[in-house]
Amino acid sequence: RSRNHRWRLLIVLACSWLIHYLRSVRSVRLHLASATALKGEAGQRVKSIIERCGALHQIYWPTWYAHTSFQQLILLGFKELRARLLQRSPYSRQLLKLRDGASVALDWVLPSDRESNCFPKAPVCVLLHGAVQDSASVTMKDLARALARRG
């Protein structure tokens, strides 16, 4: 009998979560700026990108386990903790001294296929972090690793 109650409770919780998910997910669609804001070559480039990217015309459905902003923040915190405790840095750092005496740090991630001699021919991807991040953030590390794996 108590086993039957557990199954009922599990079903009620799952249904409640599904209802919460469906009610809290908003239909997010891309809206272009006015025609006057998208003039010139830059505007044409933006329109071209939007036309070729089908995902920008679909409704965005976040993951079922972290669909609210608070849940996503908690998930990012767990990711940061995992990355800082369990993963080593993928970077090799190069410090450049500027003419005005300031220094700039460049963190390089080489392709993981070190046996190939494609380094001179490989494209260079520049990742610019936001104002509250740095190259040590899990988002930047994961993106750098993924790009390095692709060569």
Side-chain angles (χ1 to χ4, degrees), residues 109 140-151:
V109 180
M140 297 304 288
K141 283 182 183 178
D142 286 350
L143 185 55
R145 279 189 183 102
L147 290 169
R149 274 194 302 273
R150 295 188 74 179

Side-chain angles (χ1 to χ4, degrees), residues 75-148:
L75 190 63
L76 180 63
F78 283 136
K79 256 181 105 174
E80 285 285 348
L81 189 63
R82 171 201 48 118
R84 297 202 189 257
L85 296 178
L86 302 176
Q87 292 178 331
R88 65 178 188 82
S89 176
Y91 303 116
S92 58
R93 180 162 278 199
Q94 179 182 9
L95 289 173
L96 299 177
K97 197 79 153 165
L98 302 178
R99 281 186 241 161
D100 64 357
S103 295
V104 173
L106 297 176
D107 291 327
W108 295 92
V109 180
L110 299 176
S112 54
D113 183 14
R114 293 183 182 269
E115 295 172 7
S116 72
N117 294 326
C118 69
F119 298 128
K121 299 178 212 162
V124 174
C125 185
V126 178
L127 302 178
L128 302 173
H129 55 76
V132 295
Q133 289 184 327
D134 62 358
S135 62
S137 73
V138 69
T139 305
M140 297 304 288
K141 283 182 183 178
D142 286 350
L143 185 55
R145 279 189 183 102
L147 290 169

Side-chain angles (χ1 to χ4, degrees), residues 11-31:
I11 290 171
V12 167
L13 288 174
C15 289
S16 299
W17 184 262
L18 179 64
I19 290 168
H20 176 66
Y21 175 78
L22 293 174
R23 292 190 70 188
S24 63
V25 171
R26 293 175 181 84
S27 295
V28 178
R29 291 196 183 269
L30 182 69
H31 296 284

Side-chain angles (χ1 to χ4, degrees), residues 19-75:
I19 290 168
H20 176 66
Y21 175 78
L22 293 174
R23 292 190 70 188
S24 63
V25 171
R26 293 175 181 84
S27 295
V28 178
R29 291 196 183 269
L30 182 69
H31 296 284
L32 289 176
S34 65
T36 57
L38 291 176
K39 285 187 178 178
E41 185 180 331
Q44 291 302 320
R45 188 177 318 119
V46 169
K47 286 181 184 177
S48 172
I49 290 169
I50 291 170
E51 287 171 1
R52 285 188 267 155
C53 187
L56 295 176
H57 300 282
Q58 299 171 356
I59 294 175
Y60 170 70
W61 289 92
T63 57
W64 61 271
Y65 54 87
H67 58 277
T68 66
S69 57
F70 181 70
Q71 291 168 333
Q72 291 171 7
L73 182 65
I74 297 295
L75 190 63

